[in-house]
Amino acid sequence: GIQVEQSPPDLILQEGANSTLRCNFSDSVNNLQWFHQNPWGQLINLFYIPSGTKQNGRLSATTVATERYSLLYISSSQTTDSGVYFCAVNYGGSQGNLIFGKGTKLSVKP
Amino acid sequence: GAVVSQHPSRVICKSGTSVKIECRSLDFQATTMFWYRQFPKQSLMLMATSNEGSKATYEQGVEKDKFLINHASLTLSTLTVTSAHPEDSSFYICSAPRSFAFFGQGTRLTVV
């Protein structure tokens, strides 16, 4: 099956810093989503981005499908950005279920 | 607002009892829903695919007799953990696709 690898596994930032999270996947995908899991466990949809670039406030994401990676950019980080960020993909032949990476745990210090 | 609603958000039960978790799509029909499990400090792993009007499809290693799935209508799927044991304690979360995946709030199950 498809492999989804995220890096770095852990990231500690000072408030106001910028960061880049990476997601590599081993095969062509139909769908790629970025999520933020809050301390209560809820998965917050950040981006649906099988290809191209999108921006939403301080967050932006880029997926280069031909090179099988996606990047999530967080600018001017805030303490509320802390949590785990997951990349998840859906690939051809599956029924729409997502394969998750292991996540990047982000801690933003005041 | 939320498009997928999951209840309960937290449940504590005694070993040997059964627990039912509901997953509802709020303003769209979902012929397929997905159930995931997440152990502490780990990623989400697909447990099973819930199909309206037919049997669920379980991932390898998931006991279908322990984790009963019923897709009763186009907006409701339920997961019942039968004869729960402490090792079943985990975070269970459902999703329904609507152009892309939306997730419920999740259910934290603790079996004592």
Side-chain angles (χ1 to χ4, degrees):
Chain A
I2 195 169
Q3 305 298 314
V4 181
E5 295 182 355
Q6 289 187 245
S7 59
D10 296 279
L11 185 59
I12 300 174
L13 297 176
Q14 207 65 36
E15 197 169 28
N18 303 327
S19 62
T20 302
L21 282 57
R22 187 176 180 103
C23 173
N24 292 333
F25 42 96
S26 61
D27 205 344
S28 300
V29 298
N30 300 326
N31 172 18
L32 187 146
Q33 290 181 245
W34 282 97
F35 298 92
H36 176 211
Q37 188 168 40
N38 66 22
W40 298 272
Q42 189 170 6
L43 285 174
I44 310 299
N45 273 304
L46 297 178
F47 294 102
Y48 164 69
I49 187 164
S51 63
T53 297
K54 291 185 177 180
Q55 181 159 4
N56 184 2
R58 296 182 296 104
L59 303 182
S60 63
T62 294
T63 297
V64 183
T66 53
E67 297 187 20
R68 298 181 184 167
Y69 73 88
S70 183
L71 302 174
L72 177 69
Y73 305 97
I74 304 174
S75 64
S76 303
S77 58
Q78 301 175 358
T79 55
T80 52
D81 295 332
S82 296
V84 182
Y85 290 81
F86 286 105
C87 163
V89 304
N90 166 251
Y91 62 103
S94 66
Q95 295 186 55
N97 56 287
L98 292 175
I99 308 299
F100 282 78
K102 293 186 176 181
T104 292
K105 183 178 179 182
L106 175 64
S107 300
V108 181
K109 305 297 186 185
Chain B
V3 296
V4 176
S5 179
Q6 185 175 340
H7 293 280
S9 59
R10 184 183 297 268
V11 59
I12 301 172
C13 72
K14 290 185 176 180
S15 187
T17 61
S18 296
V19 173
K20 180 184 285 188
I21 303 169
E22 292 189 347
C23 180
R24 294 180 184 274
S25 55
L26 295 183
D27 58 357
F28 67 102
Q29 295 180 337
T31 57
T32 302
M33 293 186 182
F34 302 98
W35 288 95
Y36 297 81
R37 179 168 56 185
Q38 184 182 30
F39 290 110
K41 300 188 187 301
Q42 294 189 21
S43 188
L44 285 81
M45 297 294 291
L46 180 70
M47 295 177 64
T49 302
S50 174
N51 303 301
E52 191 272 334
S54 64
K55 292 182 178 180
T57 305
Y58 291 82
E59 296 300 300
Q60 191 173 8
V62 178
E63 299 176 59
K64 59 183 179 182
D65 293 332
K66 166 167 277 295
F67 299 100
L68 300 180
I69 291 173
N70 187 310
H71 203 128
S73 72
L74 288 171
T75 60
L76 174 63
S77 174
T78 60
L79 168 67
T80 301
V81 183
T82 63
S83 186
H85 288 97
E87 57 265 31
D88 298 323
S89 298
S90 188
F91 185 70
Y92 295 87
I93 190 166
C94 67
S95 80
R98 182 187 185 190
S99 65
F100 52 88
F102 286 89
F103 282 80
Q105 298 92 327
T107 298
R108 195 164 302 279
L109 171 65
T110 303
V111 185
V112 298

